[in-house]
């Protein structure tokens, strides 16, 4: 398996957890764009939002993603809103294999509801905000995804195994990019292939 692997999806979808495991299996560097921004600025993302607003954060994010997508053979987990920028979407689509970790809004809510490091969810109605973000962003994730996987239906190790199988199929171009449910996976699985 050669080339970059980019993980996209809403906050709480498991991009960092899954990305680290894929990187370990493939013996590649793992980078989280949000962590990279925090490392470079010396402050956490909520403070960047507070001082510069979302627009200021997105400018920093675009610069970091442009640089990271120019690297070779990395596994990159992007922030949930990275795909809002056409420039970011183009950089991701052109420079690697894009995997969309899709999850139900209720699952995302369960995973993120105690996390104070999510500035967009620091509202009176965070579940409603998540629903709004999903409606807005899901079409953009699907637009650039090479592989779409439901990240809520099974263990991380099983999920990573499925993704690795799909990456092999994609590289050999011998099979459609669909992850079908098995009896052990239960409900909630779907997969897809983007049309170009």
């Amino acid at each position: 398996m050669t080339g970059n692997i980019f993980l996209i999806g809403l906050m709480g979808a498991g991009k960092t957890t899954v990305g680290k495991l894929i990187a370990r299996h493939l013996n590649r560097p793992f980078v989280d764009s949000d962590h990279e921004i925090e490392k470079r600025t010396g402050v956490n993302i909520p403070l960047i939002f507070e001082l510069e607003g979302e627009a200021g954060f997105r400018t920093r994010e675009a610069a970091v993603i442009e640089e990271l997508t120019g690297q070779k053979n990395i596994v990159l987990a992007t922030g949930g809103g990275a795909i809002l920028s056409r420039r970011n979407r183009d950089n991701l689509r052109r420079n690697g294999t894009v995997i969309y970790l899709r999850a139900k809004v209720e699952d995302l809510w369960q995973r993120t509801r105690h996390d104070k490091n999510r500035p967009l969810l620091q509202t009176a109605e965070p579940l409603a905000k998540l629903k709004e973000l999903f409606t807005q962003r899901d079409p953009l994730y699907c637009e650039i995804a090479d592989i779409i996987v439901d990240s809520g239906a099974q263990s991380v190790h099983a999920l990573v195994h499925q993704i690795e199988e799909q990456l092999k199929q994609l590289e050999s171009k011998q099979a459609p990019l669909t992850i079908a449910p098995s009896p052990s996976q239960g409900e909630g699985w779907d997969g897809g292939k983007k049309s170009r």
Side-chain angles (χ1 to χ4, degrees), residues 101-169:
L101 296 186
R102 185 192 241 164
K104 294 176 182 172
V105 171
E106 291 74 16
D107 291 339
L108 297 170
W109 162 238
Q110 288 300 322
R111 296 177 196 171
T112 60
R113 62 196 177 115
H114 299 302
D115 190 343
K116 300 301 181 194
N117 208 36
R118 314 276 188 182
L120 292 179
L121 296 186
Q122 305 312 306
T123 69
E125 296 288 341
L127 179 56
K129 182 63 176 180
L130 267 175
K131 288 178 180 175
E132 176 191 325
L133 292 173
F134 183 87
T135 300
Q136 175 193 31
R137 296 176 181 180
D138 182 64
L140 297 174
Y141 295 134
C142 290
E143 175 192 320
I144 65 167
D146 294 294
I147 300 170
I148 301 173
V149 200
D150 183 334
S151 70
Q154 60 180 340
S155 74
V156 171
H157 287 281
L159 178 60
V160 167
H161 176 73
Q162 292 282 352
I163 289 171
E164 288 172 346
E165 288 302 308
Q166 287 298 305
L167 287 168
K168 287 175 191 170
Q169 289 182 14

Side-chain angles (χ1 to χ4, degrees), residues 3 22 55 98 116 182:
I22 290 173
V98 181
K116 300 301 181 194
S182 70

Side-chain angles (χ1 to χ4, degrees), residues 7-11 15 32-35 37 45 57-58 61 65 76-84 88 92 118 137 141:
L7 295 157
I8 62 173
L10 279 170
M11 57 189 89
K15 300 181 297 288
D32 180 302
S33 63
D34 282 352
H35 295 166
I37 292 165
I45 285 170
F57 172 77
R58 296 296 173 206
E61 180 179 56
I65 286 178
L76 170 65
T78 61
I83 46 74
L84 295 172
N88 289 345
L92 291 164
R118 314 276 188 182
R137 296 176 181 180
Y141 295 134

